[in-house]
Amino acid sequence: MHRFWRALMLIATTLVILAGCSSAPGQGQTGSASDRSAQGVSGDGGAVPSRKVTKVLVFIEENHSMRQMQQGMPYTFHLAKKYGYATSYFAVSHPSLPNYIAIAGGQTYGITDDDSPGSHHLTGSSVFGQAIREGKTAGVYVDGMPHNCAVEDGGNDYAVKHNPWPYFVREERQCAANDVPVGRLTTAIAHGRLPNVGMVVPNRCHDAHDCSLAVADDWFKGYMTKIFAGPDWRSGHLAVVVTADEDDHSSNNKVLTVVIHPSQHGKVVKTRFDHYALTRLYEDVVGAPRLHQAASAASMAKAFGLPIG
């Protein structure tokens, strides 16, 4: 009789365990808030930290050091402290243009000025062209630019030296289709159509080149508010990076670089990076070969623990 009851109790216990394991992934959303938190749902807009990063969108500010950005951009630095930032990220040169070319092309091509594409016909590949060749998407959203892939200054404080894609002459058609005025950014955010390799270039006021860091901070906040509400962020697939092209010659070219993704929780990374590490991050996300100096650059994905591969 005792053996019978022991066997019966064992069968009942086994059935309870099996019932608890039978729910498929994602079916636990009807549980408590603490249950949902344990399953990885957190952050602005309900993004899912465990999802693989398939999209990187980079915002570039102008001519301020890390310390200046920390003090003058309170919203941006709030996100840095909430998510993650690098304490030893350096631009590679002065003035502006070689830094943008370095990010986009993995090298400066020997450029030491801010001249237009008419003076610099670069025949190499950019990270944007690489993404498209890998069957992925690329896009540059340029504030104040009068028309797609504009090769001269104009419009509303548009500076072509801050827009690297028009310099890569073998990618002219791709640039003409995907290097667009910033008005297209809001639509892309709202419909979950941000590119795998993306860059946002503010105009000379909104990037703090000609206006204050406070103006730049407010402009960036406006777009981040939309991003946090958008499907790309909520999917967990989008990482946003904020950096500056260079400092103002005051801090050995050290700039604030912020990584915003639900996998980041107050991450402070001391690894030494430069703009070629950003080139590499773009390439790692789309599985593209590394361009030039990106081949030896430190891995931002590894240092920040971003879920890429």
Side-chain angles (χ1 to χ4, degrees), residues 148-150 163 165-166 168 171-180:
N148 288 15
C149 200
N163 181 13
W165 207 353
F168 292 84
E171 298 172 359
E172 183 177 356
R173 290 184 179 179
Q174 297 165 336
C175 181
N178 300 289
D179 189 282
V180 299

Side-chain angles (χ1 to χ4, degrees), residues 156-202:
N156 181 18
D157 284 334
Y158 166 63
V160 68
K161 65 183 179 180
H162 299 159
N163 181 13
W165 207 353
Y167 290 82
F168 292 84
V169 295
R170 290 184 177 176
E171 298 172 359
E172 183 177 356
R173 290 184 179 179
Q174 297 165 336
C175 181
N178 300 289
D179 189 282
V180 299
V182 77
R184 298 270 293 274
L185 179 57
T186 297
T187 301
I189 293 170
H191 292 90
R193 295 175 183 169
L194 288 170
N196 301 110
V197 169
M199 180 181 286
V200 182
V201 180

